[in-house]
Structure formats: structure tokens, C-alpha cells
Amino acid sequence: MEEEFQNRVKHFTSLKYKYKATSYQDSAPSSLLYLILQKIDIGIKLTQIELDWLKEHKLFETVENFLKEEQRKAEEIIKLENEFYHLKSQYKIPNYWNSFKNDISSPLFAILWKLNSENQLNFEEIEWLKANQLFATVIMIEEMELQQQFIALKEKYHATKYEDSSPYNPLHTILKKLDTKTRLEYSEIEWLINHGLAETVAIFQQQETEREAVFAQLKDKYKANKYTEVSTASLLYLILQKLNANEDLIYSEVNWLEQHGLTETIAIANELEKEREFCILKSKYKAEHIDEFSPSSQLYNVLKLIDTDNALQEDNIEFLKKYQLYGTIAIANEKYARNLKSKVTLGWTLSQSEIDWLVNNNRHDIITFAQQHHFIELKRRFGISDSKNQLPFEIFYKILLKLESKERLDSISVAHLVERDFLFNSGKIANVYYTLEAEFYEKEFARTQEQSHIPTASNYWRKAGELQRALNILTNIELEKISDNHIKSAILLSKGAALRDMFDLINAESSAIRAIDYNSENYQAYILLGIISYDRGNYLQGDYFFEKAMMLGRQPEEIDDEIKQILKTMTSDRHRKNTVDHLLKKDIERYAWAKFYQKRVKNKDIK
């Protein structure tokens, strides 16, 4: 505390000397004078009370110095404000900024002052002007920069005799082209001559001579000497410059070379392009450390193969291993794997060779991914609605694969289809399955002449919806030449079922009766007669035939399944209602399931 007090005493003493107040004897920092002098020192305006106190203690010199300093500061502020006002006017600051004319602390004042003294601003300062929408000032600055550039170019290319300093006249464009050693147009050369700028023309001619020399060297370097034109206005000059700058040629440039017979130049261009590509491929596939640059090398061919999303062959892999390019092999394999996954995503089916590659490279994840996508596609093709993906993949993917490849199903697969009701409707799966079975038994009959295959094939054709084929296979069968009455009965039953499906109930009934004549224990014939009776609305007769079928060994559940099929295929709502009413009246508990079909017609107008 003592040290701090002494420091304040020293500070007070120095202020009294500085502001002519040494006549005041009290040096204690608690004195009001110390406060007053501190305020004066840091530029805070004194109150009238403080001024009166100074006068009361006869510190007139201090008061006079303070007032003079205040006056000087006020005058300096006015000068700065006026300077700010003129700068704003000079640099096209909009009028609405004049409301800030006294705010000399604004960043704009410093920016304009710097611009006026240094004739340039940095990026942040330009951005500040843009952010404050001072676009006229920004444009003016850009014009100033262009003008300075123009003045420098006129000096550099001996064109100072041209007095117009506007950067928007033709001379500025011409001088910029000279500065970049760009060839002038004939009209631009004439403009220089017409304006008496002979020295500038001479500089252009010197540049043109140098360009022509470069052109000659480039023609020699790129085997284009058969083109005799020496003017650098030729397209060939631009083409050779591109080649020399290691740039690719575009189609029109290659076409121009072909038209002028410069095949060697084209060959060099192609070789250079391949070399550039080779360099890129080596970097891309981690082979930069291999000192091989010729596109004719095996490394180039292998990297090119990788880049086109092809799988590496065994000889390619051995080659890469020879140079210890294991990283390249890993990149190639991953790239090819991603390509196969993309193909699957786009709906392509992988070939066997692609699947073999995935197996050999332990990419079972992509195989599973492909199978799952293929499963979705197969479900779509076979008309399976499975939005919640509840159909077991492991079971039904194999089944659908077999059906897609026209391969017969084993009994377990068929059981799975039955369990899911896929064979009790006219869907795509049922049609394909029954068609495969029908074709199989047709071929078996042709191969073995086993007559029992005839009704079996016919029944499958009927279930596949191919009713005419179901009848055709039976047409040329001569029953009298068949000794087995059971087979005769089965053939007539198949014929009757097909005729019933074709709504030929009279001939269907006749065939069923004849089937019973050959085999009185053919309960399926009685079921067919029951179905035909229900079709006609003769329910009591139908029940009689169904009872006969059960007496011969058919289970009630099997009979009910047949009746369900009748209700499903009925086209008349009235007929369906009458059938349901009969069943519920007959046995409401046994036929409770029929209420479902009752609901289907409940809200319809039955006439």
C-alpha cells in the first residue's frame, strides 16, 4: 500500500509540472487537483465546478492551458470532419452517408484516407465497402487500378504518346495482349500504326519473330514440318503449344491434324496423353514408386484394366505381386467389388464368373446383398406382396430360383408353397409350378408310354389355366384300347374337370358319370358331380354327391376345401349368397367360415 501511495504522489507531482500547477502546495493524491489533472491528461472535459475550483486556487495558467488544448482539439476535429466530408465526395460515397459526417471514428474514414494516400486497398477493405453497399466506390477503385495498370503498360511498351488514359479504349486491350505475349489481330496492328505507335509495333514484331522461332522448334519437336505455314496465326501453333504444355487435345484439334496429314504429330499426342494417364493411374493405384513411364509397359495395361472396373486375372495378380504392389491389388479388388455391388443395386444379375470371383475373394457380403436384391426382384416377378419382408429368405429364395430356371420342385418345397397358399390361387407361382409339372408328365408319357401320366398331365394343365391343352392331351386317347378301367376313369374325370372349368356343364357331367361307370369307387368323380350341382344351384343334389365321396374315403375337410374353391370362383354375387345361405342353414358350426363370403356380398344390391 505504501508503494502504491508513493507512486500516486510521484504521478501527481509530474502532472502539476506538466500542467503548470506547482504553486498548489498540497501533494496528497486525495486532493481534488489530482482528479482534475488526471481528467485533463486523458482528455475528459472538465465541469464548471472543477474550472471554478482551479480559479479559486489561482491556478489560472492551468485553466488557460486547458482551455487552449480544448480549443485546439475542437479545431482538429472540425478539420478531420471536413477532410472526411471531402473524401466521401471524392470517392462517390452516397448522400445518406453524410449523416455520419461527424463520426470520424467510422472505419470508412480510415479506408478512404488510405485509398487517397496509397491508391490501393486490401481484400478485407474492399469486402467491407461491398458489405456496406458502397458499390460506386468499389467500381471507382477498380477503375483506378485499371488506369494505373494502363499507365504502367503504356510506359512498358513505349505508347505514352497516346494521351487517352481511359482503361476502356482499344490500346489497353492491345497492351495487355502484348504483356501476355498473345498474338495481335491484324486490325489491332493497323490500329497501332494509324495512331503512330511505331515503337509498340516494333515490340510486337519482335515478339512475333520469337514466336515464329518457337513455332519452328515445336514443329520439329512434334514432327509437323510437312506443314509449311510459318505464321503463328495458324491453328497448328496453338495445338503444338498445348502439346508442349502437356495438355490434352480436343476432338476438333485432332481432326484438324488428320485433315492436314500430320499423323506423326497425332501419334506423339496420343503417346503423351497415355503418359499423362499412366502417371495419374500410378498415383491413383499406389504404384508411383515403380520407375516405369512407357504406356507400352505391362504395368500400364494392368492399371488401365483396374480403372475400367474389370477383375484382375491371375497373371495380372502375379505381375503386381512381383513388384510388391499389394496395395494396388487391394484397391483393385475393392474397386471391382464395389462395381459388382453397384450392378446389383441397378438391378443387374451377376454372372456365374462374377459370383465365383466373390466366393474366391471371400466377399460373401456382396453375394448375400445380391441374393437379397434378386429375391426382391423374384417376388415382384412372381406377384408376391411382401412389403414387410415376412417371407423367409432362406426357404423361398431357393424355391423362386428353381421356378425361374424352370426346374421342378421337390416335395418339401411344394409343401412350403401349400402352407403359404401359393398353389390355391391363379397366381404366377401356381401357374409356373403346374406348367412345369404338366410338361414333365407329358414328356414322361412320351418316354415311357405310361398311360397314367395322361390324366396327371391334363390335370396340371387345367390347374395352370391352360384348359385347351388339358383337353388336347386327352383328345386322341382311345379308351377301348386301354385295359385298365381305373386309368379310363381317371382320364374321363380329367376331361370332365376341364369341361366344367370351361362352363360346359352338360358334357362335364357326362364325363363324370362315365368315370364312375369304369370305377364306382372314384370318389373324385362324385366330388366333380357335387361341384357341378352346386354350379347349377342344386345344393341338395350336390350334398348327396359329396356324401357319396365321403363314404368312399374323402374327409369332410377336403370336401369343404372344394366348396371354398367353388365360392372363390363364382362370378355371380347372388349365386354366392344363395350358396352361403344353404351352407349356414345346413350346419352353422361346420360352415362358420362361409360367413366371410357372406360379408363380401352383404353391401351389394343382389337382384
Side-chain angles (χ1 to χ4, degrees), residues 497-547:
L499 290 169
R500 182 263 172 181
D501 287 349
M502 297 175 77
F503 306 104
D504 186 353
L505 300 184
I506 294 174
N507 288 319
E509 183 181 42
S510 175
S511 294
I513 292 170
R514 289 182 65 197
I516 293 172
D517 289 341
Y518 281 112
N519 179 12
S520 60
E521 294 185 355
N522 188 344
Y523 61 80
Q524 291 178 321
Y526 285 106
I527 290 175
L528 179 57
L529 288 172
I531 292 171
I532 292 171
S533 298
Y534 264 53
D535 286 340
R536 288 170 171 167
N538 192 343
Y539 302 114
L540 294 177
Q541 186 183 55
D543 291 339
Y544 166 76
F545 287 124
F546 288 142
E547 288 293 332

